[in-house]
Amino acid sequence: MASLAATFGRGAMTNHWIDMINTDVAMVMGSNMVENHPIASKWLMRAKERGAVIINVDPRYTRTSSFADIYCKLRSGTDIAFVNGIINYALQNGLINKDYVLNYTNASFLISEKYSFHDGLFSGYDPGKRAYDKTNWAYDLDGTGNAKRDLTLQHPRCVYQLMKKHFERYDIDTVCKITGSPRAIYEKVCRTFTSTWAPNRVATWLYAMGTTQHTHGTQNIRTYAILQLLMGNVGLAGGGINAMRGESNVQGSTDMALLFHLLPGYLASPTKAEQSLEEYKTHFTPKTNDPKSANWWSNYPKYIVSLLKAWYGDKATSENDFCFNYIPKRSADYSHISLFETMYEGKLKGLFLFGQNPVVGGPNSNKERSALEKLDWMVAVDIFETDTSVFWKRPGVNPADIQTEVFLLPACSSVEKEGSVSNSGRWAQWRYKAVEPVGESASDLWIIDALHKSIKKEYATSGVFPEPIVNLNWNYGNGEEIYPHREPDVHMVAKEINGYFLEDKVVNDKQFKKGDQVPSFAFLQNDGSTCSGNWLYCNAYPGPEKENNNMARRIKEDAINGIGLYPQWAWAWPVNRRIIYNRASCDITGKPFDPKRWVVRWNETTGKWEGDVPDGPWPPADKYPFIMKPDGHAWLFAANLNDGPLPEHYEPLESPVDNFMSSQQNNPAIKLWHKVNPEGNAIGDVKKFPIIGTTYRVSEHWQAGAMSRNIPWLAELVPDVFVELGTDLAKQKNIENGNRVVIETARGSMEAYALVTRRFEPFQLNGSVVHEVGIIWHFGYNGLARGDSANLLTSHIGDANTMIPEYKAFLCDVYKKNGGVA
Amino acid sequence: MNNQRINSSSEMDGNIDKLNPFASDLKEFFESCKTLPLFKKLPLRDELEVRKQRLSGGRYLFRPCGIGLHPNESNKIALELLELLKKHLCDRKDELSAIADAMIQEKIIANDFLLQIIKNEGNQIRKVIRDNNLAEDIFTFFAIYFARPFRQFASEYLLEGLDKLNWFSGYCPVCGHWPGLGHINSEGGQRTLWCLSCNSKWNFKRTQCAFCLNEDHQTLQILNPENEESYRIQICKKCKRYLKEVRSIIEVKNFPFDKYYLGTLPLDVIAEQKGYFQESMLTVRYENSEGNELLMYRQKVEFD
Amino acid sequence: MKISRRGFLGAAGASTLGGAITLIGLPKTAKAASVPEIKTVETTESTTICPYCGVGCGLIVSTREGKVINIEGDPDHPINEGSLCSKGMALFQVAVNERRLQKVKYRAPGSSEWEEKSWDWTLSEIAKRVKKTRDATFLKKEDDKIVNRTNGIACMGGASLDNEECYLLSKFARSVGITYLEHQARI
């Protein structure tokens, strides 16, 4: 997501599930979607029936590969080399949508003379800090504060030329040496994919955890974005960069900012550097001097003030900075790995867990499980007894040694409560309560409401800095006291998220009364007259009645352009735009690049756009299409990422080979936890652990297993954990299918059944032969179906920008246990 | 994988199977009608795009003004149908004969009467019933099936070229009558509504009243006889109407709607007992492009 | 005309049909009363969205007398059109499952067993611990700058919570001063 934000200005699937039917070429890379998003595959199937070509790139031959037209093998962790090679192929052969690239991307922008790249490092690197001074990559500005541009794309310091130079090192031979891909197939992939440069051909890019779970995950996505922009595929039907998310509401939970670095709506959470609201606004509100740039994030102040009013109501006034200082300020990285490292050091005393099972889903399980023992208390809220909630009696520990108090609160299932969830395509869909929660279980809504009220009561008379708690604006219709069956009114919450007027006001010539719902974020104010819990969702519930709840709509009529938008089925953010960046689907006169699959088009007679909700109502050419970037252009060159403005191949932290591209073995901007806190963070040596290990999922189980290993039908389908290995490796190790084996890394070991298949083939890399194995990671010591967790093997090392752990590539060894018998 | 109970011994199944002779004769009758010249002048049919637009606007396609019929054929069809009904509805033989006699004696001109049915002229039909002292219920039944071959032909004619109907209104997209039966596909659960008057079928959202378009699941319910999971009625507490539904493994295109419509009469009884109703089969919705209000042209019936 | 219940449902086909014809074609009929009341069951069908992956397939949940009796794909949902994968099809076993947590459980320090507790007790005890930990670890300033946070409490989860729940959790966690706020999107 960080990558998409860097390139386009917001991080989300650009298109939506049904839209896949419109594509000519689908690239499924970093995903096994037939396995993990099975129903979505039906849309790919329909595209195929219409003549689309499906390409699948994966270290293993998966269910998706068998469905694809072209399958190309690649070694785990070499995605950047693979796609950089395709970018190079496009640039060398002139297979780019020139119009699109020139007008809609920063290809023509000039970069500062301070920028350079040499032997795997960009200019401005501080090896002590393991960080870059990004001012070295800034635009070369003209007198008015805008970037200098060369529309002929010839200037040696224009992004286009810098890219050509950067990517020309990724010729086909080099790429295949690194990735282990068969040359002929790789060439075919290059040819097929780059055929979509033509305005009447489009490709969609579909990815998931195989892309993100690397130390260079952000840059992986950057390569996809760069290539798609060169092809002119972003903003078009059947195009885009489509992150396929794995949980029913991880999109919503991200939108609502259950992450340390964000506030709802992708606003930044304040840091120590912002001591006042003014400082916050200054730091985070981008500016532009180009009148053609809509720079939509310039509305930042309206969104943060409206959020503060939603959180602190009448207590938030312009005199007290709208209670801005009540929001905790961060001074460091508090992400998952850091969280558990801190916990391991005994500094975290209490932990809330809402439907999360980290002893199975988190990396470096051994360390994380030990860390939990240092907690004073844990509050776990879940529908089943998770592995994490019983960490104190897990195999191999003595409960008497563990002092952590654990409260396990029974949550109700999805059919026992009412509310909305947002799918990957940004569709927020309302769902209904079918039955009452079983036993004494309760909705998370009730539980969170009860927790707040209980804590507020504790702080009624004493305590450290009680203000942020006792002054919190919290009234959802179920009174001050806590009653087991009195549910907060979820509609009131949804309406607060949308936002309403706090006083009578005239906005854009419309009269609003105090209490009116705000129709859309274009009406939000920065003077405290509106509140909105999440500006992106402003328009989801624009009226007072249940009938006004756009998320509950079930109208099956498609839009006039007939491309499967279903604009009145539920509601999508922002403002029901189904394909974002859609202004880029038209040329600068407002005519669609591809009239057969038009998304929006400008109607001269009415002076309005038709089709999908346009990315801004302004006439074509009045504003640049990428309205969330300060300069209105999509960033081929993205100077705000921690590990570089352009993607460069580095090896995973644990790798069997040296980096062929440069002497920089690993991503120079990643935090090396094994150096910071060596305990429990050992890194494996290729001599001891010569095999590449990766993790993946099966269709029958789901994530950390609480909702599948406790289900009799599903537990029966896949009752045990297995490690999949190729026939060559199996022969070498004398392992037969069904044998009991041990997989070991520098951090831990696990047992599993061996699944010997032909789906993993050895990689021929620059002179050496390397094997890869894969383990399904759903398993844990609790539940109906039990087994060792694959994450006992993985490590605390994360991406340089997102800190997402590198689950997908590590070093291990595999051997038979006790002669292979269980 | 769900908990749907599969009936091993269903009374309703048995009941419906017993209608096989009647159903197959009726089917054969409709098939034979297809070979006859039904219309001297075909109903008005717009261009495909215009028809699509009509449907988008909730306007049904069949406009009977200007159609021409063959009087002799109409008469023949009427009498043949009456013979068929006499054969299978033995306990109503006399009343059916009375209708036949009235036609033979030209007290009722079959062709004129047919036009009245097709044009939904309920008042006229009631007059015929009164003037000839006929059994009202059996006459209505006969009337619907008499007009059926003609309306069915019109339906196939008017729907030609339209694969996917963009239709979301509470009545038949061809003739404007309300749906008589809903079919729910065992696999996938799609609901198809069927019009008794013209045999048209259209896809319709499950979680919605097929008449007043209410979508609030708390005021919609499914009732089914105990131990008969495949046979049910959807009731709407808002408009008090009901729709019979059959969940079947038989695909829509092969499903014998008439047989199931007649064989599921116990479901109509249940609906009546619970206080739900359907308008007379002769009811049609007047064209009304404004709002959701369903203007029903009701048959006023006098009770004895 | 008198028709017994048994006779009616298992009727001898068309012969009784003639009599039953009476019931159709008429908005109200006195004849219906002559049939004894047939026992029926009432089912509610409501819609929901699958809680598993991020595709967001639609489902229809059938409930009878307050219990879930069936969950099937929603045929009218534009994405899945009634079809479901093996997990969606198994959702019934999430709703109806004896392993579902039905009571609050508490584990005391050093104990090897769970104890059942009431909500009242639990909420009050949790609140006490939150206050204790927060008060002990709250940092108003760091290097003379306002930070107003507690680094002693962390909050993780939840990608399967509803939007409204996520929003309240986000709001609640910040009000307590929690900065260690994370969930599945990070991993």
Side-chain angles (χ1 to χ4, degrees), chain A residues 177-245:
Chain A
K177 279 201 184 97
I178 298 173
T179 65
S181 309
R183 198 205 154 90
I185 302 180
Y186 180 70
E187 268 185 296
K188 194 169 176 198
V189 171
C190 290
R191 266 197 324 271
T192 311
F193 194 84
T194 56
S195 72
T196 64
W197 73 269
N200 63 348
R201 277 179 68 73
V202 69
T204 180
W205 205 294
L206 304 161
Y207 74 92
M209 300 297 102
T211 300
T212 58
Q213 289 173 344
H214 292 277
T215 45
H216 43 253
T218 307
Q219 295 294 344
N220 279 344
I221 303 168
R222 280 276 299 145
T223 65
Y224 306 164
I226 290 170
L227 181 52
Q228 282 288 66
L229 286 169
L230 292 175
M231 297 292 108
N233 287 337
V234 179
L236 276 69
I241 312 280
N242 299 298
M244 299 186 289
R245 313 209 62 180

Side-chain angles (χ1 to χ4, degrees), chain A residues 141-276:
Chain A
L141 301 175
D142 64 19
T144 65
N146 295 318
K148 288 189 189 147
R149 299 175 68 167
D150 172 22
L151 294 171
T152 67
L153 302 183
Q154 295 303 315
H155 195 292
R157 274 188 295 111
C158 80
V159 166
Y160 186 73
Q161 292 299 331
L162 292 174
M163 277 175 63
K164 269 192 115 164
K165 226 176 95 183
H166 185 88
F167 291 106
E168 76 187 355
R169 298 141 54 230
Y170 290 90
D171 57 276
I172 294 181
D173 278 319
T174 306
V175 170
C176 292
K177 279 201 184 97
I178 298 173
T179 65
S181 309
R183 198 205 154 90
I185 302 180
Y186 180 70
E187 268 185 296
K188 194 169 176 198
V189 171
C190 290
R191 266 197 324 271
T192 311
F193 194 84
T194 56
S195 72
T196 64
W197 73 269
N200 63 348
R201 277 179 68 73
V202 69
T204 180
W205 205 294
L206 304 161
Y207 74 92
M209 300 297 102
T211 300
T212 58
Q213 289 173 344
H214 292 277
T215 45
H216 43 253
T218 307
Q219 295 294 344
N220 279 344
I221 303 168
R222 280 276 299 145
T223 65
Y224 306 164
I226 290 170
L227 181 52
Q228 282 288 66
L229 286 169
L230 292 175
M231 297 292 108
N233 287 337
V234 179
L236 276 69
I241 312 280
N242 299 298
M244 299 186 289
R245 313 209 62 180
E247 290 90 4
S248 54
N249 200 29
V250 68
Q251 182 63 55
S253 58
T254 313
D255 297 339
M256 298 298 165
L258 286 172
L259 292 168
F260 82 91
H261 67 292
L262 296 173
L263 288 178
Y266 298 98
L267 301 172
S269 68
T271 76
K272 196 166 70 176
E274 291 90 46
Q275 291 289 299
S276 72

Side-chain angles (χ1 to χ4, degrees), chain A residues 325-580:
Chain A
N325 282 335
Y326 283 179
I327 315 281
K329 301 184 204 291
R330 56 185 160 108
S331 344
D333 158 28
Y334 302 121
S335 64
H336 182 106
I337 293 175
S338 178
L339 197 160
F340 275 92
E341 290 284 338
T342 307
M343 198 190 294
Y344 188 83
E345 287 173 5
K347 297 192 194 141
L348 268 178
K349 301 291 175 195
L351 175 66
F352 283 99
L353 285 167
F354 280 87
Q356 188 160 4
N357 189 12
V359 306
V360 174
N364 199 346
S365 270
N366 278 327
K367 185 159 193 184
E368 296 201 351
R369 291 171 192 188
S370 306
L372 293 172
E373 294 176 16
K374 312 255 169 74
L375 291 168
D376 285 352
W377 53 265
M378 171 196 283
V379 176
V381 183
D382 222 297
I383 62 180
F384 292 104
E385 185 187 84
T386 59
D387 312 75
T388 305
S389 67
V390 291
F391 77 95
W392 39 274
K393 56 173 177 172
R394 69 189 188 274
V397 302
N398 181 3
D401 297 335
I402 301 171
Q403 302 309 309
T404 315
E405 283 186 287
V406 182
F407 299 85
L408 181 56
L409 310 184
C412 72
S413 77
S414 58
V415 300
E416 295 155 27
K417 59 185 179 179
E418 183 175 356
S420 68
V421 285
S422 300
N423 75 3
S424 287
R426 298 166 285 106
W427 290 17
Q429 304 187 88
W430 198 260
R431 58 184 182 189
Y432 296 96
K433 177 175 176 174
V435 289
E436 290 298 319
V438 300
E440 290 181 23
S441 69
S443 66
D444 296 86
L445 198 72
W446 183 90
I447 293 171
I448 296 165
D449 176 70
L451 282 170
H452 166 69
K453 287 173 180 162
S454 309
I455 295 168
K456 185 174 170 179
K457 216 187 263 186
E458 284 293 314
Y459 275 95
T461 48
S462 68
V464 173
F465 197 47
E467 281 87 339
I469 296 171
V470 303
N471 287 346
L472 196 61
N473 176 37
W474 191 282
N475 173 20
Y476 303 107
N478 61 341
E480 287 292 315
E481 296 302 312
I482 301 161
Y483 291 101
H485 295 291
R486 207 182 285 174
E487 204 61 21
D489 184 349
V490 70
H491 289 267
M492 285 178 76
V493 183
K495 287 202 261 189
E496 177 178 307
I497 293 170
N498 179 94
Y500 47 89
F501 281 90
L502 299 165
E503 57 188 64
D504 290 358
K505 200 154 176 96
V506 176
V507 183
N508 299 348
D509 293 327
K510 280 204 175 89
Q511 169 72 53
F512 294 97
K513 295 201 105 48
K514 178 177 174 179
D516 281 348
Q517 291 296 106
V518 182
S520 85
F521 51 67
F523 294 83
L524 291 175
Q525 302 296 305
N526 73 349
D527 60 4
S529 57
T530 57
C531 72
S532 170
N534 186 333
W535 71 274
L536 275 180
Y537 281 71
C538 187
N539 182 240
Y541 213 129
E545 305 303 329
K546 286 188 185 172
E547 291 76 59
N548 307 125
N549 181 357
N550 285 335
M551 300 179 276
R553 297 183 302 182
R554 288 168 58 85
I555 298 170
K556 290 192 71 179
E557 227 176 312
D558 199 0
I560 55 170
N561 47 13
I563 53 171
L565 295 179
Y566 294 102
Q568 294 181 86
W569 183 276
W571 175 88
W573 67 256
V575 289
N576 208 29
R577 188 171 299 131
R578 302 279 163 148
I579 296 179
I580 52 184

Side-chain angles (χ1 to χ4, degrees), chain A residues 17-18 38-39 42-43 46 213 245-250 252-253 256-262 272 275 310-311 325 328-329 331 334-336 342 348-356 377 382-385 389 392 399-400 402-406 408-410 413-414 416-417 419-420 422-424 429 431-432 435 438-440 444-445 448 454 458-459 462 464-465 468-469 473 476 496 533 554 556 569 699 702 707 710-713 783 802 804-805 807, chain C residues 46-57 61 63 66-68 74 76-81 83-87 89-90 93-95 97 99-107 109-114 119 121-123 125-131 133-135 138 140 142-143 145-149 151-159 161-172 174-175 177-187:
Chain A
W17 295 112
I18 296 171
I39 299 302
K42 122 182 6 209
W43 293 103
R46 292 198 187 160
Q213 289 173 344
R245 313 209 62 180
E247 290 90 4
S248 54
N249 200 29
V250 68
S253 58
M256 298 298 165
L258 286 172
L259 292 168
F260 82 91
H261 67 292
L262 296 173
K272 196 166 70 176
Q275 291 289 299
W311 285 13
N325 282 335
K329 301 184 204 291
S331 344
Y334 302 121
S335 64
H336 182 106
T342 307
L348 268 178
K349 301 291 175 195
L351 175 66
F352 283 99
L353 285 167
F354 280 87
Q356 188 160 4
W377 53 265
D382 222 297
I383 62 180
F384 292 104
E385 185 187 84
S389 67
W392 39 274
I402 301 171
Q403 302 309 309
T404 315
E405 283 186 287
V406 182
L408 181 56
L409 310 184
S413 77
S414 58
E416 295 155 27
K417 59 185 179 179
S420 68
S422 300
N423 75 3
S424 287
Q429 304 187 88
R431 58 184 182 189
Y432 296 96
V435 289
V438 300
E440 290 181 23
D444 296 86
L445 198 72
I448 296 165
S454 309
E458 284 293 314
Y459 275 95
S462 68
V464 173
F465 197 47
I469 296 171
N473 176 37
Y476 303 107
E496 177 178 307
R554 288 168 58 85
K556 290 192 71 179
W569 183 276
S699 184
W702 191 61
M707 265 170 66
N710 281 304
I711 308 304
W713 287 330
T802 61
I804 293 178
Y807 297 104
Chain C
S46 57
T47 55
T48 190
I49 302 296
C50 186
Y52 286 104
C53 82
V55 173
C57 297
V61 182
T63 58
K67 290 200 167 46
V68 177
D74 179 357
D76 301 308
H77 196 288
I79 298 176
N80 65 314
E81 299 173 329
S83 53
L84 290 177
C85 74
S86 56
K87 294 183 294 296
M89 285 201 265
Q93 287 195 332
V94 171
N97 188 321
R99 299 175 71 86
R100 280 283 302 278
L101 294 172
Q102 300 206 26
K103 287 191 91 72
V104 178
K105 293 201 205 171
Y106 170 73
R107 183 255 177 184
S111 167
S112 56
E113 295 304 324
W114 288 116
W119 274 112
W121 179 90
T122 306
L123 290 165
E125 291 301 304
I126 293 174
K128 288 197 190 108
R129 279 152 190 68
V130 170
K131 178 164 189 293
T133 306
R134 182 176 179 273
D135 285 353
F138 199 82
K140 284 184 109 164
E142 184 183 67
D143 303 331
K145 297 228 160 81
I146 301 171
V147 288
N148 283 344
R149 66 172 186 250
N151 279 5
I153 304 177
C155 179
M156 294 177 72
L161 267 57
D162 293 353
N163 285 324
E164 295 72 30
E165 295 170 333
C166 289
Y167 170 70
L168 287 190
L169 184 58
S170 197
K171 188 175 179 181
F172 161 75
R174 319 278 173 167
S175 75
I178 294 172
T179 48
Y180 278 103
L181 180 64
E182 283 286 289
H183 77 294
Q184 289 90 335
R186 183 74 65 191
I187 53 176

Side-chain angles (χ1 to χ4, degrees), chain A residues 777-795:
Chain A
W777 64 269
H778 308 285
F779 279 76
Y781 46 78
N782 209 36
L784 268 182
R786 303 175 181 195
D788 283 350
S789 306
N791 276 318
L792 290 165
L793 308 172
T794 54
S795 62

Side-chain angles (χ1 to χ4, degrees), chain A residues 432-433 554-558 566 569 713 717, chain B residues 1-2 56 164 166 168 203 205 207 215 217:
Chain A
Y432 296 96
K433 177 175 176 174
R554 288 168 58 85
I555 298 170
K556 290 192 71 179
E557 227 176 312
D558 199 0
Y566 294 102
W569 183 276
W713 287 330
L717 289 172
Chain B
M1 274 181 268
N2 55 48
S56 297
K164 212 173 166 202
N166 220 26
F168 308 107
N203 194 246
K205 260 197 333 240
T207 52
E215 285 192 71
H217 67 272

